[in-house]
Amino acid sequence: MRSLLIEKARTAEVRDVAVPEPGEGQVRLRVEYVGICGSDLHYYYEGANGAFVVREPLVPGHELSGRVDLDPSGALEPGTPVTVHPARFGTLRDGIEDAPHLWPGGSYLGSASTWPHTQGAASEYLVVEADMVRVLPDDLPVRRAVLAEPLAVALHALGRAGDVEGLEVLVTGSGPIGLMAVAAAVAAGARVTATDVLSGPLERAGALGAAETVDVSTETLEPNAYAVVLECSGVPVSISAAIKAVRPGGTVVQVGMLPDDPRPINLAPFISKEVRYLGAFRFLDEIDRAITLLAATPAIESALTHEFALADADEAFATARDSQRSGKVVFAL
């Protein structure tokens, strides 16, 4: 089978490797679509995602959809359309019993955080544990289902804020995760404002239901105007703007990842307004709600803007890096 492997910064190639065989409790999938995430871009362009350095060839990809190829248990028929929860949870930790996505020692598809690395989905075939597989409803196409993982991230972040129905919600940064945050908040009944510094992402946010878009390179956000802010850019200046824009007693959820080093952020409004500032990391079981929402809302598929073959990985990564041109970029196998 063909697999895409990242060997080091700016070096990726497609290789022929052996088709994996599923063991007990596992299922082999025929992968059809794999989304390119920010972490995949870091692995490709920098050879590392934060502290996680590529030390052996790494197959990227944790956003995927496809069909069952082989289930030795016989529970799933070949050809069954599916997506995958990409996490294997770690060891239970006291105090966070109900948050296995935070337990230490877990793994995530397409990650160099473990040794050996946890290989990802950018291959023709993938073997995963059966409990990671999610069967798609009849009204959800396999192509749209590749958005289940990033939409689950957005739903988890929104859940951290609580009920947003009827509230003013600000989404800062309209890249792929920001777009999913817009879709999730709109579906939850919020009036959504989305920001970015480029026209392309703002147009896509509007298409997903944002009532207002703001180009923060030329416009200023109204202070104290939003009950909830989903900060999806991971840029310190945007975090400062989010804390200024949220209303007194409001909530800012940090969705966008930041480098693991000190960055300047203005915390004065955070203190004086008694703002709740919460982190959101991956997700627990929100992928199930993401599947339901994707089936009910075909328009979310508009976030998918480009498809590439594995052999065109260099172009695919370059396109995904260009947020003016692209929303979610996927490999079509």
Side-chain angles (χ1 to χ4, degrees):
M1 69 171 185
R2 295 171 302 134
S3 289
L4 176 67
L5 293 111
I6 297 174
E7 298 186 7
K8 58 183 179 179
R10 297 178 181 268
T11 303
E13 65 176 36
V14 177
R15 295 183 187 172
D16 287 322
V17 299
V19 175
E21 294 297 329
E24 184 177 355
Q26 295 183 320
V27 177
R28 186 170 68 205
L29 309 178
R30 176 64 172 89
V31 179
E32 294 188 17
Y33 295 96
V34 180
I36 296 177
C37 177
S39 61
D40 302 318
L41 293 178
H42 285 298
Y43 283 129
Y44 175 72
Y45 282 104
E46 302 159 23
N49 181 31
F52 306 136
V53 178
V54 175
R55 294 181 286 161
E56 65 175 345
L58 173 69
V59 179
H62 54 259
E63 308 169 2
L64 71 140
S65 59
R67 300 179 190 273
V68 171
D69 181 66
L70 175 62
D71 179 1
S73 76
L76 296 174
E77 292 290 334
T80 300
V82 298
T83 185
V84 169
H85 191 312
R88 298 176 177 95
F89 297 133
T91 304
L92 186 147
R93 176 67 59 87
D94 291 343
I96 52 172
E97 293 88 350
D98 295 333
H101 62 296
L102 300 180
W103 294 350
S107 65
Y108 217 69
L109 292 178
S111 174
S113 64
T114 58
W115 181 258
H117 296 339
T118 303
Q119 301 299 340
S123 297
E124 289 182 289
Y125 295 92
L126 175 70
V127 168
V128 296
E129 278 63 48
D131 62 3
M132 298 167 69
V133 177
R134 301 293 190 273
V135 175
L136 304 183
D138 292 340
D139 51 353
L140 178 56
V142 171
R143 182 178 187 269
R144 193 187 313 154
V146 76
L147 293 169
E149 194 275 349
L151 182 56
V153 170
L155 288 168
H156 178 70
L158 193 65
R160 296 281 286 145
D163 185 8
V164 298
E165 185 174 3
L167 300 182
E168 293 282 343
V169 171
L170 176 67
V171 175
T172 55
S174 296
I177 290 295
L179 293 177
M180 294 300 98
V182 168
V186 168
R191 184 186 185 278
V192 178
T193 298
T195 76
D196 207 276
V197 297
L198 297 170
S199 61
L202 293 175
E203 290 171 5
R204 288 185 280 273
L208 287 173
E212 185 178 354
T213 59
V214 179
D215 182 343
V216 289
S217 69
T218 60
E219 304 172 72
T220 301
L221 286 167
E222 181 181 351
N224 306 320
Y226 303 94
V228 172
V229 182
L230 303 177
E231 205 301 295
C232 299
S233 71
V235 178
V237 67
S238 184
I239 299 171
S240 296
I243 295 173
K244 184 176 180 180
V246 74
R247 74 186 186 189
T251 301
V252 176
V253 182
Q254 186 60 46
V255 191
M257 295 293 289
L258 290 95
D260 188 16
D261 56 39
R263 297 293 169 103
I265 297 171
N266 179 15
L267 291 179
F270 165 77
I271 300 164
S272 63
K273 293 193 290 187
E274 294 193 358
V275 173
R276 290 198 313 153
Y277 183 52
L278 306 173
F281 183 65
R282 294 176 180 167
F283 56 91
L284 177 54
D285 55 9
E286 289 86 354
I287 196 166
D288 300 310
R289 287 198 287 124
I291 290 168
T292 299
L293 181 54
L294 285 167
T297 318
I300 299 178
E301 192 169 348
S302 67
L304 296 173
T305 59
H306 294 78
E307 295 181 16
F308 290 92
L310 289 181
D312 298 321
D314 292 347
E315 185 181 358
F317 288 128
T319 302
R321 199 184 198 189
D322 183 352
S323 56
Q324 172 64 10
R325 288 179 57 204
S326 68
K328 173 59 67 177
V329 177
V330 300
F331 290 112
L333 282 73

